[in-house]
Amino acid sequence: MAVIRYQTNPLGKIRHFIETKFGANYLYTRYKVRETILSEEIIESGKDFENWTLAYSLGTGVQIPIAAEPGLFLEFKANYQSSSDLRFLTKGDVRYVPFPDGGGAF
């Protein structure tokens, strides 16, 4: 994401700023299916629901100088971030149905 920050008083002791971010996120879900959570053998694994989304953020905050080191600041800020809707897998979204003669289906 690209960040644009505007400081209202860049030479003051306590520096207030506002910022905006705009960019893209690439999010995806990876999964591993095992017989039990403790088993080492992986029955199936892969990547599902990969997606790109545009996102933006607006924020404000203050920078407070740390006296021990010149040029070092402690920063407090609040951001609002938003993007379009995404789909991804959560725990419990996959079920295994065993076949009577062995094996099964997900």
Side-chain angles (χ1 to χ4, degrees), residues 96-105:
Y96 178 72
V97 180
F99 297 145
D101 57 345

Side-chain angles (χ1 to χ4, degrees), residues 5 7 17 19 61-64 66 73-77:
R5 179 179 280 188
Q7 288 190 315
F17 62 89
E19 70 180 19
V62 293
Q63 292 178 326
I64 302 169
I66 297 176
F73 291 85
L74 181 62
E75 182 173 291
F76 294 98
K77 71 177 178 178

Side-chain angles (χ1 to χ4, degrees), residues 49-96:
F49 293 123
E50 58 187 325
N51 203 350
W52 284 93
T53 182
L54 292 177
Y56 67 90
S57 173
L58 302 171
T60 186
V62 293
Q63 292 178 326
I64 302 169
I66 297 176
E69 186 69 35
L72 187 63
F73 291 85
L74 181 62
E75 182 173 291
F76 294 98
K77 71 177 178 178
N79 278 328
Y80 170 78
Q81 183 167 335
S82 185
S83 69
S84 57
D85 291 339
L86 294 169
R87 291 182 56 200
F88 55 92
L89 291 175
T90 59
K91 190 173 184 174
D93 284 347
V94 178
R95 288 187 314 128
Y96 178 72

Side-chain angles (χ1 to χ4, degrees), residues 12-56:
K13 274 215 166 252
I14 296 178
R15 301 175 181 184
H16 177 262
F17 62 89
I18 55 175
E19 70 180 19
T20 182
K21 297 178 193 174
F22 181 79
N25 292 323
Y26 173 68
L27 304 169
Y28 62 91
T29 303
R30 294 185 57 86
Y31 64 89
K32 290 182 182 178
V33 179
R34 301 181 203 145
E35 188 174 333
T36 68
I37 197 166
L38 301 175
S39 65
E40 295 290 324
E41 183 182 345
I42 297 172
I43 299 170
E44 185 177 339
S45 67
K47 182 169 63 171
D48 201 6
F49 293 123
E50 58 187 325
N51 203 350
W52 284 93
T53 182
L54 292 177
Y56 67 90

